[in-house]
Amino acid sequence: MYIGKAAQLSGTTVKTIRHYEAIGLLPPPERQGQYRVYTQQSVELLTFIKCAQQLGFKLKELQTILLTHQGADLPWELAGKAIADKKREVLGQITGLQQIYAGLEAFEASLAGARYQCGLERLP
């Protein structure tokens, strides 16, 4: 299939596919004359990349996972490790955001208390 069909089936764009090829994320496709010819494997890889990006993976992280990808199968073992690492990272971010939220709650409560103590509650 040609690049337009691969883009349509994977939910990406022609420009995105060319970019992935340029940065080595997607292996160069076979050619028929001047046309790039993509396989179902290419579409699956594009879909995998798009899904991973939607879940917070950066292209650099995906390059690390796909660096050794040469064959038909995606490197599921590396992908599994990367997913576990990403989950730990996200849990750390959640914990940090919860601490910030608790701090904001405490700050808001202290402001309300200060307003009451200063007699400012009568002011609009």
Side-chain angles (χ1 to χ4, degrees):
M1 76 187 80
Y2 295 130
I3 194 167
K5 184 69 171 176
Q8 177 188 17
L9 290 174
S10 63
T12 60
T13 65
V14 169
K15 183 177 179 181
T16 297
I17 293 173
R18 288 186 179 131
H19 176 67
Y20 291 169
E21 287 175 15
I23 65 172
L25 198 55
L26 186 66
E30 297 293 321
R31 289 193 173 261
Q32 285 182 355
Q34 65 183 18
Y35 296 102
R36 295 174 170 122
V37 179
Y38 295 86
T39 63
Q40 185 59 37
Q41 289 173 269
S42 301
V43 172
E44 289 171 7
L45 182 55
L46 287 164
T47 304
F48 172 82
I49 293 167
K50 182 178 179 182
C51 180
Q53 278 189 293
Q54 289 172 340
L55 293 172
F57 283 90
K58 295 175 177 65
L59 290 181
K60 288 280 187 195
E61 293 169 315
L62 294 174
Q63 283 176 314
T64 302
I65 295 169
L66 298 172
L67 183 65
T68 58
H69 176 63
Q70 297 293 326
D73 294 329
L74 288 170
W76 293 113
E77 189 175 312
L78 287 174
K81 182 187 177 319
I83 290 168
D85 292 345
K86 182 60 77 175
K87 285 170 57 178
R88 279 191 293 280
E89 179 185 324
V90 168
L91 279 175
Q93 291 171 347
I94 289 170
T95 300
L97 289 172
Q98 287 173 329
Q99 291 171 348
I100 291 170
Y101 185 83
L104 288 169
E105 290 280 318
F107 187 52
E108 181 180 47
S110 70
L111 288 177
R115 185 175 181 177
Y116 178 77
Q117 289 176 349
C118 294
L120 300 175
E121 72 279 358
R122 293 173 291 206
L123 298 176

